Amino acid sequence: MNVLLIGSGGREHALAWKIAQSPKLTTLYAAPGNPGIADCATCVTLNVDDHAAVIAFCSEKSIPFVIVGPEAPLVAGLSDALRAEGIAVFGPSSAAAQLEGSKGFTKDLCAKYNIPTGAYQRFNNAPKAKAYVRAEGAPIVVKADGLAAGKGVTVAMTVDEACAAIDDCFEGAFGAAGAEVVVEAYLDGEEASFFCLCDGKTLLALASAQDHKRVGDGDTGPNTGGMGAYSPAPVMTPDIVERTMKEIIEPTMRGMAADGHPFSGVFFAGLMITEKGPELIEYNVRFGDPECQVLMMRLKSDLLELLLATAEGRLHEVSAEWRDETALTIVMASKGYPGSYDKNTPIAALPAATETQRIFHAGTALKDGQLVATGGRVLNVTAFGSTVTEAQSRAYAMADQVEWPNGFMRRDIGWRAVAREN
């Protein structure tokens, strides 16, 4: 079959690389794709905000199945428009994508269906939000309600920091995303990411990962979209996985269906493993970035078959098989990220992929035949090994061969798991 993949980041490169291995695939198109994706798909210029243009392209190229990588097109209703034309889509409806599109929507769902999460309040003005912060004290978490590209969350260690974050939201730092804020309790524990396919009636647990959100070594500095990840996450023991499914994912699937917007796609649950067990920090409605990269390195099954079964409501027919090894990815970012950074800096050379190592392109482009960095997060250097320590050492050995003077990376991705092993 012909397939269209929407997106241009490291997540989409990992998805494209894995989909391209499927015996079911005829041609994979990617819109807009990137130079790495161009190695395993045909990249096309298509305005994904123009739903009619996407539908016309599918008709012209006889594409019966579309996979939506990023969250913004899902929230904007691309999947609804495609489904209305009889095109199968991997990704939730606009109504179901509110799980990521609105932090408040998710918190309200948790409250309604007794899903464990931090206590919270929603606010549409700064004075009331600040009064709540002063009453609750710090540490406390301030979140812009809407989509802020992974940047609208402040884990405030002081009341002043929380109040400044509230001002940022209401003064337009995150655009329309900050028109409402959610202020919630700080959860103490170890973070983990858990992924689960859902077709509205059936769940298929995938795997766990652990992301590294802060920009600096030792988890210091501002939050980013993610500076590296590894899978599986040791903190997600079989018992914690079982509790996550029973206490968080299953009630979400049932609640979404009961509320009239059944969920079809991938649940990406951001969890805090506290003394009480797993608690939900937030939901995303697409594969994580950079978590997708380590999941795809470990997945043995045919990804296209899994995603198609999800879209067609027959998830009960399939299963997912995983490598036992650990996969680890390091994000190479432009100097200055997550603040301002130079664009179009040249990447002189990339090492070739091996059996255990490969690089996924996140924010790259070709300008006059030269590979350049166009984004904040630019390359995902990924490897697997029999232990986290081995995967880490292979990934850094490869990263050190990248010739890109304007790039930087954390040097301690996987440090918690490495400490457990040693």
Side-chain angles (χ1 to χ4, degrees), residues 5 21 23 32 51 68 92 106 109 116 127 188 198 227 233 250 303 313-314 326 341 356 359 361 363:
L5 172 66
Q21 298 167 26
H51 297 172
V68 184
T106 298
L109 183 93
D188 198 19
C198 177
M227 292 300 293
E250 287 171 17
L303 177 66
R314 47 180 187 82
T326 292
Y341 52 85
T356 58
I359 294 178
H361 290 236

Side-chain angles (χ1 to χ4, degrees), residues 313-351:
R314 47 180 187 82
L315 205 45
H316 60 281
E317 294 177 7
V318 297
S319 60
E321 205 183 334
W322 301 89
R323 287 175 174 272
D324 292 331
E325 294 104 323
T326 292
L328 183 142
T329 190
I330 302 155
V331 172
M332 296 191 73
S334 295
K335 284 177 183 168
Y337 174 82
S340 59
Y341 52 85
D342 292 340
K343 291 191 173 171
N344 300 318
T345 59
I347 300 169
L350 294 179

Side-chain angles (χ1 to χ4, degrees), residues 191-196 205-211 229-238 240-241 244 267-269 271 273 290-296 298 322-323 325-327:
E191 270 191 68
S193 304
F194 186 72
F195 296 84
C196 184
L206 294 179
S208 65
Q210 192 165 72
D211 189 10
Y230 59 94
S231 171
V235 72
M236 293 299 290
T237 61
I240 294 289
V241 168
T244 298
F267 285 126
F268 163 9
L271 304 172
I273 313 307
E291 293 95 338
C292 184
Q293 292 82 316
V294 287
L295 293 188
M296 293 306 114
R298 289 187 59 224
W322 301 89
R323 287 175 174 272
E325 294 104 323
T326 292

Side-chain angles (χ1 to χ4, degrees), residues 5 63 126 128 209 295 348 350 368 402 408:
L5 172 66
I63 295 168
K128 284 184 177 170
L295 293 188
L350 294 179
D368 303 322
V402 173
F408 81 97

Side-chain angles (χ1 to χ4, degrees), residues 213-229:
K213 282 288 182 208
R214 291 186 182 270
V215 75
D217 285 12
D219 291 337
T220 55
N223 270 339
T224 69
M227 292 300 293

